[in-house]
């Protein structure tokens, strides 16, 4: 989870569809029907199957293939963008083509390429079907086109003299140039590898001595040129270690961001894609000139934490309003500050908002040093929370109920919008009814989007935890079938499922 949980959905679905793994049986093909190797298209996308797949690979230098399931809603949502990307590349006479495989029908291909989720995209180059490249771009038209353009053309532009270098650097707000004295060397090859993945930024390479001199360099260096903040960031190549692709990618992601970002519909993916471990947030109303002025102190505090803390401004009267509920806030709470630790979604708040650079810097450092306790959300308990068959827990009441040493407590952690939670709601209510008169068993639930617990982090919905009676604050995660009878077996067996006896074959 991230603090954008209210806006984002997972892109991948289990191959088996619903949680019970029920998939409608497909009618078997007529034994007499034999598909040819002809290549047919739908909306500029090649329709592929096991009989024409080899031909498609042999005829197309670059082939991006989507393995999909017709019932998958994410595949359905991707389909128009995928077709539009195919048409765009076709109009450009690109060597990159797009194809699709119904993996529920073409099981041999699905097994060959280890398809375990939908949609899965793989790039095949030069007819090689043994080592396809996993698609790593955005799942929209622009993301697909950019990703394939980078692989179809040179990953980096060769800069041969100061004039071409200056024109390239001035062409965009953000460009990356690798200065290497040997473009065939190992460091340069790592640079090309990074360039093929970081497709939203133009990459250039320079080998000429006059370019080293023009930009004040003596040794191999990767330079990020930007038309904001400090204007340029140098990453010298370690003469012993060389370049590490993952490390360089992360450095470029971090330093490509402005020192202070505004949270918008256009850049929220960039904000989370940088994978910076802490986010310091300033909530304000941009229509107020007095609140806008608070950004000065916020920016002054940001400089010393680049890479460790990302500073973000959210307009509560604009796109920032979409995440207010995640923080238990309303627009009236602005201006205010929050710090989020991304690994566990812990939120921290200054005891009293002070928007000076010194105060913000001191607060952030104190959180990083572990000197500040998180601020935990808690709803108010309903008046009848403990009289219902399923007890309704909130942050304020969780400890006293879950860790009652005389009770065995089975808790469902859910999100109101989660379809899987909604599907098992009836079974959970029936479980509550079944055990409402058991003195030592409590069935409970907690809305994990409105309540936070100090020592328990919920990573998905629904999550089920069993808290057995007795000392020691024990907790057991339930990971089996989500139906009434299996729940009951689990409870009757003291928090574990009984082992089923091995099946006895009737054959002699």
């Amino acid at each position: 989870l991230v603090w954008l949980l209210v806006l984002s959905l997972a892109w991948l679905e289990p191959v088996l569809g619903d949680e019970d793994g029920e998939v409608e049986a497909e009618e078997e093909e007529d034994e007499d029907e034999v598909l040819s190797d002809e290549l047919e298209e739908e909306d500029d996308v090649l329709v592929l199957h096991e009989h024409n797949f080899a031909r498609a690979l042999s005829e197309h230098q670059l082939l991006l293939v989507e393995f999909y399931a017709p019932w998958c809603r994410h595949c359905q949502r991707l389909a128009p963008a995928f077709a539009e990307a195919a048409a765009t590349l076709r109009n450009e006479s690109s060597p990159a083509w797009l194809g699709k495989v119904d993996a529920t029908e073409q099981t041999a291909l699905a097994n060959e390429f280890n398809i375990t989720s939908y949609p899965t995209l793989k790039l095949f180059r030069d007819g090689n079907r043994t080592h396809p490249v996993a698609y790593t771009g955005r799942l929209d038209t622009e993301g697909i086109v950019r990703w394939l353009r980078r692989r179809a053309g040179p990953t980096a532009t060769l800069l041969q003299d100061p004039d071409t270098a200056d024109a390239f650097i001035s062409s965009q707000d953000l460009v990356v140039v690798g200065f290497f004295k040997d473009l065939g060397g190992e460091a340069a090859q790592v640079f090309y590898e990074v360039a093929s993945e970081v497709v939203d930024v133009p990459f250039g390479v320079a080998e000429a001595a006059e370019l080293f001199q023009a930009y004040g360099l003596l040794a191999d260096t990767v330079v990020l040129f930007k038309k904001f903040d400090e204007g340029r960031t140098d990453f010298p190549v370690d003469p012993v270690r060389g370049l590490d692709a993952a490390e360089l990618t992360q450095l470029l992601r971090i330093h490509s961001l402005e020192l202070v970002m505004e949270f918008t519909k256009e850049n929220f993916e960039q904000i989370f894609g940088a994978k910076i471990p802490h986010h310091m947030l300033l909530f304000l109303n941009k229509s107020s000139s007095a609140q806008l002025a608070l950004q000065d102190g916020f920016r002054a505090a940001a400089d010393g934490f680049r890479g460790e803390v990302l500073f973000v401004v959210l307009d509560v009267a604009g796109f920032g309003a979409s995440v207010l509920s995640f923080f238990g806030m309303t627009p009236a709470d602005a201006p205010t500050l929050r710090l989020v630790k991304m690994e566990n979604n812990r939120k921290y708040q200054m005891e009293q908002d002070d928007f000076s650079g010194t105060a913000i810097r001191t607060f952030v450092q104190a959180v990083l040093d572990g000197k500040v306790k998180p601020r935990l959300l808690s709803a108010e308990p309903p008046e009848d929370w403990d009289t219902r068959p399923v007890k309704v827990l909130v942050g304020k009441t969780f400890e006293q109920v879950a860790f009652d040493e005389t009770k065995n407590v089975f808790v469902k952690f859910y999100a109101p919008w989660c379809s899987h939670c909604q599907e098992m709601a009836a079974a959970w209510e029936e479980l509550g009814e079944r055990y409402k008169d058991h003195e030592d068993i409590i069935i409970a639930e907690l809305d994990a989007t409105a309540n936070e617990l100090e020592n328990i982090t919920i990573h998905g919905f629904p999550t089920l935890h069993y808290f057995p009676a007795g000392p020691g604050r024990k907790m057991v995660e339930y990971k089996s079938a989500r139906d009434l009878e299996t729940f009951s077996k689990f409870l009757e067996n003291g928090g574990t499922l009984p082992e089923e006896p091995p099946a006895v074959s009737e054959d002699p």
Side-chain angles (χ1 to χ4, degrees), residues 164-234:
T164 58
D166 183 62
F168 178 78
I169 292 168
S170 302
S171 66
Q172 303 284 340
D173 288 345
L174 192 71
V175 301
V176 181
V177 179
F179 294 84
F180 302 101
K181 295 188 176 180
D182 177 12
L183 290 182
E186 187 176 337
Q189 299 312 305
V190 172
F191 180 80
Y192 287 129
E193 178 186 338
V194 172
S196 69
E197 291 296 332
V198 186
V199 298
D200 49 347
V201 181
F203 278 66
V205 287
E207 188 178 32
E210 63 177 326
L211 289 176
F212 274 77
Q213 183 177 359
Y215 291 95
L217 300 171
L218 298 176
D220 289 1
T221 306
V222 177
V223 182
L224 181 65
F225 295 94
K226 46 192 175 181
K227 295 180 181 178
F228 52 86
D229 294 341
E230 69 273 26
R232 168 177 167 174
T233 307
D234 291 10

Side-chain angles (χ1 to χ4, degrees), residues 11 31 56 61 93 111 164 247 254 307 359 362 367:
W11 259 95
E31 292 182 1
Q61 177 188 353
S93 299
N111 292 333
T164 58
E247 182 180 327
I254 290 171
T362 301
V367 174

Side-chain angles (χ1 to χ4, degrees), residues 32 119 370 374 377 456:
D32 297 328
L377 291 179
I456 300 175

Side-chain angles (χ1 to χ4, degrees), residues 190-504:
V190 172
F191 180 80
Y192 287 129
E193 178 186 338
V194 172
S196 69
E197 291 296 332
V198 186
V199 298
D200 49 347
V201 181
F203 278 66
V205 287
E207 188 178 32
E210 63 177 326
L211 289 176
F212 274 77
Q213 183 177 359
Y215 291 95
L217 300 171
L218 298 176
D220 289 1
T221 306
V222 177
V223 182
L224 181 65
F225 295 94
K226 46 192 175 181
K227 295 180 181 178
F228 52 86
D229 294 341
E230 69 273 26
R232 168 177 167 174
T233 307
D234 291 10
F235 306 107
V237 176
D238 189 296
V240 177
R241 292 176 56 246
L243 273 184
D244 178 80
E247 182 180 327
L248 177 60
T249 299
Q250 181 63 4
L251 286 171
L252 292 176
R253 290 292 187 200
I254 290 171
H255 290 272
S256 294
L257 300 175
E258 295 183 50
L259 188 62
V260 175
M261 302 284 291
E262 181 177 352
F263 183 65
T264 66
K265 185 176 181 180
E266 292 71 31
N267 71 6
F268 74 84
E269 289 183 349
Q270 186 184 15
I271 287 173
F272 292 109
K275 297 180 180 177
I276 295 175
H278 304 85
H279 288 183
M280 183 63 185
L281 312 176
L282 170 60
F283 293 87
L284 53 76
N285 191 322
K286 291 184 68 176
S287 64
S288 166
S289 57
Q291 292 190 25
L292 279 175
L294 301 177
Q295 294 180 98
D296 294 339
F298 195 63
R299 172 171 289 274
D303 193 33
F305 297 101
R306 188 187 282 276
E308 181 68 16
V309 183
L310 180 62
F311 282 64
V312 184
V313 175
L314 297 94
D315 180 11
V316 299
F319 189 67
S322 58
V323 299
L324 287 175
S325 61
F326 184 69
F327 292 87
M329 293 167 46
T330 68
D333 291 313
T336 188
L337 298 159
R338 297 289 188 277
L339 188 145
V340 183
K341 186 174 290 188
M342 301 301 290
E343 67 175 359
N344 55 16
N345 259 0
R346 292 290 180 261
K347 307 173 186 72
Y348 300 83
Q349 180 180 0
M350 299 171 71
E351 290 186 6
Q352 183 174 358
D353 284 328
D354 183 339
F355 299 94
S356 68
T358 300
I360 295 172
R361 192 179 302 111
T362 301
F363 168 72
V364 171
Q365 190 60 57
V367 174
L368 297 182
D369 292 340
K371 298 178 180 178
V372 181
K373 287 189 175 183
R375 177 180 181 270
L376 302 175
L377 291 179
S378 177
E380 291 299 323
E383 290 185 3
D384 61 345
W385 71 270
D386 60 345
T387 61
R388 303 179 185 181
V390 175
K391 312 305 179 188
V392 180
L393 305 184
V394 297
K396 296 176 180 178
T397 58
F398 178 82
E399 285 278 325
Q400 71 188 63
V401 176
F403 294 109
D404 183 338
E405 295 185 0
T406 67
K407 309 290 185 185
N408 298 290
V409 185
F410 202 10
V411 182
K412 175 183 72 173
F413 298 86
Y414 73 97
W417 44 259
C418 168
S419 60
H420 298 307
C421 301
Q422 294 162 8
E423 289 169 5
M424 68 165 283
W428 200 251
E429 288 296 328
E430 290 178 26
L431 187 69
E433 284 286 346
R434 178 172 291 188
Y435 288 96
K436 65 181 181 181
D437 296 325
H438 286 62
E439 293 185 1
D440 62 341
I441 294 179
I442 292 178
I443 309 301
E445 64 183 11
L446 180 141
D447 178 355
T449 67
N451 299 276
E452 296 170 327
L453 307 172
E454 186 169 0
N455 297 311
I456 300 175
T457 301
I458 304 303
H459 296 286
F461 302 114
T463 291
L464 306 177
H465 284 313
Y466 176 74
F467 301 85
R473 298 173 62 88
K474 296 176 183 177
M475 180 177 75
V476 177
E477 184 172 2
Y478 177 89
K479 294 184 177 182
S480 192
R482 296 167 181 171
D483 62 79
L484 177 61
E485 296 308 320
T486 310
F487 289 151
S488 293
K489 287 180 183 179
F490 178 80
L491 290 172
E492 299 294 344
N493 203 46
T496 61
L497 284 171
E499 292 188 11
E500 298 291 338
V504 178

Side-chain angles (χ1 to χ4, degrees), residues 73-207:
R73 67 181 184 276
H74 301 308
C75 302
Q76 295 163 6
R77 188 169 61 188
L78 173 62
F82 201 68
E84 186 178 347
T88 299
L89 292 165
R90 184 78 61 86
N91 292 335
E92 296 175 355
S93 299
S94 170
W97 283 59
L98 275 65
K100 61 182 180 181
V101 172
D102 180 348
T104 65
E105 287 279 356
Q106 303 301 317
T107 54
L109 291 176
N111 292 333
E112 178 182 355
F113 300 114
N114 193 29
I115 305 305
T116 58
S117 59
Y118 302 133
T120 292
L121 280 64
K122 292 181 180 287
L123 177 68
F124 297 83
R125 183 186 290 273
D126 298 325
N128 186 330
R129 69 188 291 162
T130 59
H131 294 88
V133 176
Y135 178 80
T136 56
R138 298 201 321 257
L139 289 173
D140 57 32
T141 301
E142 183 181 1
I144 294 168
V145 170
R146 278 187 176 184
W147 196 85
L148 285 172
R149 279 176 182 161
R150 184 62 60 89
R151 279 156 179 77
T155 55
T157 302
L158 178 61
L159 309 176
Q160 297 178 312
D161 56 64
D163 289 339
T164 58
D166 183 62
F168 178 78
I169 292 168
S170 302
S171 66
Q172 303 284 340
D173 288 345
L174 192 71
V175 301
V176 181
V177 179
F179 294 84
F180 302 101
K181 295 188 176 180
D182 177 12
L183 290 182
E186 187 176 337
Q189 299 312 305
V190 172
F191 180 80
Y192 287 129
E193 178 186 338
V194 172
S196 69
E197 291 296 332
V198 186
V199 298
D200 49 347
V201 181
F203 278 66
V205 287
E207 188 178 32

